[in-house]
Amino acid sequence: MQLRRSNIRQLAEREFDVLIVGGGINGASAAAALSGKGVSVALIDRGDFAGSTSMHSSNLVWGGIKYMESRDFALVRKLCKSRNHLIKSYPSTVQEIRFLTTISRGFRYHPRYLWAGAWLYWLIGNAFTRIPRFLSPRSIKAEEPIVDIDGAVGGFEYSDAYLHDNDARFVFNFVRGALDFGATAANYVESLGARREDDGWVTDVRDRMSGETFTIRSKVMVNAAGPWVDELNSLSGQATGHQHVFSKGIHLIVPRLTKSGRVLAFFADDGRLFFVIPMGARTCIGTTDTRVEKPEVGITEDDIRFVLDNINKRLSLDKPLGKDDIIATRCGVRPLAVKASSGGDRDFLQLSRKHAIDIDAANRHLSIFGGKLTDCLNVGEEIVEEVRALGIEIPDPEFRWYGEPDADRRDAFMAQAHAMQLDELTADHASEPLSTRLWRRYGDQAMELLEDIRRDPRQGEVLIEGTEYLRCELAQASRREMITRLEDFLRRRSKISLVVREEVIRQSPGLHEACELLFGDQAEARLHEYLTEDNGALEEALSPGAESDNPAHSETLRW
């Protein structure tokens, strides 16, 4: 908590070149890019970093194969290049994964036509990944016995990529990078609106933990509030050329269904791609695509029934999946950018996730609409160029602000880990060796964890039952990761609450010690807050307009 308190003091006392409001993937990458290149940056979020759309993704980093059908080849090319760049820049985190897609009889395209499309997709992506394959129903069954091939006419396999860890963790590492580059960032700081004063911006904010209000001064304002960009612009009197419409998506986390390490892809009853995604000892299944009017959403019985019905139709399981098998859920909205002049009336099912940046040059204000994790490095670089065009000096324009430490540093870490026999501490239920996981998650800072374990072997023990997180990781999180509420650690810096049932977490004998490590003298208050709050999903109903315009899981859906 000391890091957050110190940063809040700086937010109130300094004037910044740029204030970024919103700590999702757009705001986090923009903050890392600007601060890495020498710009003074402030970053705030009214909740935790990556606390909305950026923690509800499918964990997939993909080149937009679904846009092949609409022949948006320029977008596919851009996303494939972005995917390739991420794989090269984050080899421990963003990794190639195979997708096996089964095609049923009566589908609108023959599987060999789709296989040919997968080859074109591979070529558009510079042949960077493994080549596609065509599979007969018999081959599908041989390689993935759980797939129900009754009615199948074939399938194909191709490659994209996925995040080996969780999406919110990936986003936070951009925030941590920005802090290391000199940015000042704080979570749970809410913008109450901004105004122009003395040729700059004065933003009124509230610390949502203490209730105190103060102002932040900056030369440039970047609105990266994700689904709330329009709402924030209205507070500051900004008119923009774009606006958002919203599509709700959910995923269910269930026990592991297959050990193959592939993503199984099907075309669901509504015609869109439907995924079975590996998540260590768990499996993530989904997603839905439902038009909603507001970004505040919750999972409904209809959502759960849709996902379970679709997966049970397409897999041959010993026992069909039911609600009791659900370990955790993910539910969020995709903010889709549309021209404000369209009024949001165009068919949102045909909208892409491409981002748009609206610029008010006279007032030095930027708004980021849409976007997705795959394109995050492009967003960061584009914001740097737009800020430069607004008259802000970029002291180190060639600085590389992203990517893992180089191979020599990784080898040095692995050598030390091997010398101290670190991997012998790997838990029996762990999905990978401990050295691999610590390097991927912490990079250079993983060296500090080795020293902690050497000094006190208890630091290498798992603290919360059923997880892979060590005592020393919680101490590291307390020092460097701005954990403000227990849920910040359980859901976003880690993925504990995605892979361990809530009742198991709550009853874990290590939970109290975890709070002491994370919060010190505030441990009891933070633990009580977590144990008494309702973490369950709320029912959410569509507005009449949304229901009639795009009923949930529409049969016309083509994503």
Side-chain angles (χ1 to χ4, degrees):
M1 298 291 284
Q2 183 177 349
L3 174 61
R4 182 175 181 274
R5 287 193 293 267
S6 172
N7 281 7
I8 284 179
R9 285 197 301 271
Q10 292 183 56
L11 289 173
E13 294 170 358
R14 294 176 54 191
E15 179 180 20
F16 298 89
D17 290 331
V18 179
L19 169 63
I20 300 171
V21 181
I25 188 59
N26 288 339
S29 59
L34 286 165
S35 57
K37 293 175 184 291
V39 177
S40 68
V41 174
L43 171 67
I44 61 172
D45 194 292
R46 72 177 183 180
D48 189 28
F49 304 117
S52 182
T53 298
S54 293
M55 75 171 188
H56 293 302
S57 78
S58 300
N59 271 34
L60 300 179
V61 177
W62 57 292
I65 194 170
K66 73 180 183 182
Y67 305 128
M68 295 289 290
E69 185 175 13
S70 60
R71 294 178 172 80
D72 195 347
F73 299 126
L75 177 59
V76 173
R77 171 73 172 163
K78 180 181 180 184
L79 290 175
C80 281
K81 290 172 67 177
S82 298
R83 175 204 64 194
N84 298 350
H85 194 26
L86 283 172
I87 292 173
K88 289 185 288 188
S89 300
Y90 296 93
S92 299
T93 302
V94 183
Q95 300 174 345
E96 180 178 349
I97 193 170
R98 298 295 272 178
F99 286 65
L100 193 159
T101 305
T102 303
I103 307 301
S104 299
R105 185 176 296 109
F107 189 68
R108 59 186 182 272
Y109 298 118
H110 190 278
R112 289 194 181 276
Y113 180 87
L114 296 173
W115 174 55
W119 272 91
L120 179 58
Y121 182 62
W122 179 73
L123 290 169
I124 288 174
N126 289 342
F128 183 80
T129 59
R130 294 164 56 193
I131 63 173
R133 291 195 303 151
F134 178 82
L135 291 93
S136 67
R138 181 177 298 179
S139 297
I140 294 172
K141 194 67 175 179
E143 296 192 22
E144 289 289 352
I146 68 167
V147 175
D148 186 352
I149 60 170
D150 289 347
V153 292
F156 61 99
E157 186 183 63
Y158 68 99
S159 287
D160 259 316
Y162 82 126
L163 287 172
H164 194 93
D165 218 324
N166 103 10
D167 46 6
R169 175 81 210 181
F170 185 73
V171 173
F172 176 76
N173 282 342
F174 283 113
V175 178
R176 184 61 254 180
L179 289 166
D180 291 341
F181 298 143
T184 302
N187 51 5
Y188 297 97
V189 174
E190 179 179 15
S191 170
L192 304 176
R195 61 190 180 278
R196 294 286 292 169
E197 189 176 293
D198 297 330
D199 200 32
W201 284 97
V202 177
T203 303
D204 298 312
V205 302
R206 179 170 66 94
D207 179 349
R208 296 184 63 198
M209 302 305 294
S210 69
E212 295 179 1
T213 60
F214 57 96
T215 60
I216 302 174
R217 293 184 174 274
S218 63
K219 299 172 185 174
V220 173
M221 170 80 72
V222 176
N223 180 354
W228 293 277
V229 165
D230 300 301
E231 178 182 312
L232 189 62
N233 279 335
S234 68
L235 290 176
S236 303
Q238 280 289 309
T240 56
H242 289 84
Q243 64 183 34
H244 277 141
V245 295
F246 305 111
S247 167
K248 185 181 78 170
I250 77 152
H251 297 84
L252 308 180
I253 313 299
V254 299
R256 184 165 58 191
L257 300 179
T258 174
K259 296 181 180 180
S260 70
R262 284 190 187 94
V263 175
L264 304 182
F266 306 93
F267 286 93
D269 291 347
D270 60 13
R272 68 160 288 146
L273 279 170
F274 186 86
F275 299 112
V276 175
I277 304 166
M279 186 183 279
R282 307 300 186 204
T283 294
C284 177
I285 55 177
T287 177
T288 59
D289 210 318
T290 310
R291 182 168 182 171
V292 291
E293 298 298 324
K294 296 181 179 180
E296 296 83 12
V297 293
I299 290 181
T300 67
E301 289 294 326
D302 179 58
D303 295 326
I304 295 173
R305 185 168 56 251
F306 173 81
V307 173
L308 293 177
D309 286 351
N310 271 278
I311 200 63
N312 286 325
K313 286 178 185 178
R314 287 157 178 83
L315 298 182
S316 298
L317 301 174
D318 294 336
K319 177 187 175 184
L321 287 174
K323 289 183 68 175
D324 290 344
D325 296 304
I326 300 172
I327 295 166
T329 61
R330 314 181 94 166
C331 176
V333 295
R334 307 168 186 90
L336 305 171
V338 298
K339 288 285 189 182
S341 57
S342 72
D345 292 333
R346 62 169 290 193
D347 184 0
F348 91 112
L349 302 176
Q350 303 302 319
L351 294 174
S352 75
R353 297 285 300 280
K354 69 174 105 177
H355 67 271
I357 301 174
D358 279 11
I359 304 159
D360 178 352
N363 290 312
R364 300 213 280 191
H365 186 284
L366 307 176
S367 301
I368 310 174
F369 293 87
K372 60 193 279 83
L373 190 147
T374 305
D375 216 20
C376 63
L377 301 186
N378 288 332
V379 169
E381 293 289 353
E382 288 173 30
I383 291 296
V384 169
E385 290 309 309
E386 298 299 349
V387 166
R388 185 206 306 267
L390 295 177
I392 301 298
E393 180 186 0
I394 310 296
D396 194 357
E398 302 305 316
F399 182 80
R400 189 174 189 268
W401 52 274
Y402 56 85
E404 293 182 13
D406 62 38
D408 288 344
R409 286 145 81 185
R410 182 184 186 279
D411 290 344
F413 168 80
M414 289 298 177
Q416 289 196 35
H418 178 72
M420 62 186 288
Q421 300 179 318
L422 179 71
D423 287 342
E424 292 187 9
L425 301 178
T426 304
D428 293 338
H429 61 270
S431 59
E432 62 185 338
L434 185 54
S435 58
T436 301
R437 180 170 62 79
L438 293 183
W439 174 259
R440 185 188 66 250
R441 194 168 287 160
Y442 303 104
D444 277 344
Q445 279 68 50
M447 287 289 193
E448 298 177 19
L449 303 183
L450 295 186
E451 185 58 37
D452 289 342
I453 295 169
R454 273 193 290 260
R455 187 179 65 252
D456 177 6
R458 291 181 69 250
Q459 296 300 313
E461 296 175 356
V462 171
L463 190 55
I464 300 176
E465 179 185 350
T467 76
E468 301 178 17
Y469 288 82
L470 312 180
R471 269 191 183 83
C472 60
E473 291 183 82
L474 277 90
Q476 173 91 325
S478 176
R479 291 192 300 266
R480 294 180 52 83
E481 298 188 357
M482 212 174 292
I483 309 296
T484 305
R485 304 173 69 236
L486 184 54
E487 187 69 9
D488 300 341
F489 176 75
L490 294 176
R491 176 62 181 82
R492 287 174 286 277
R493 307 302 183 272
S494 76
K495 58 182 180 183
I496 290 173
S497 64
L498 281 178
V499 299
V500 180
R501 292 183 185 275
E502 185 176 331
E503 58 268 26
V504 174
I505 297 173
R506 287 171 175 254
Q507 295 168 10
S508 171
L511 189 61
H512 191 278
E513 184 181 349
C515 285
E516 290 178 338
L517 288 170
L518 291 170
F519 304 114
D521 58 7
Q522 294 188 24
E524 290 295 340
R526 296 282 80 87
L527 180 59
H528 178 75
E529 175 186 65
Y530 173 76
L531 293 176
T532 56
E533 69 185 357
D534 181 10
N535 292 321
L538 299 176
E539 292 278 322
E540 168 268 333
L542 298 178
S543 70
E547 184 70 50
S548 61
D549 182 31
N550 276 298
H553 328 310
S554 164
E555 290 295 334
T556 64
L557 197 56
R558 289 294 179 267
W559 284 7

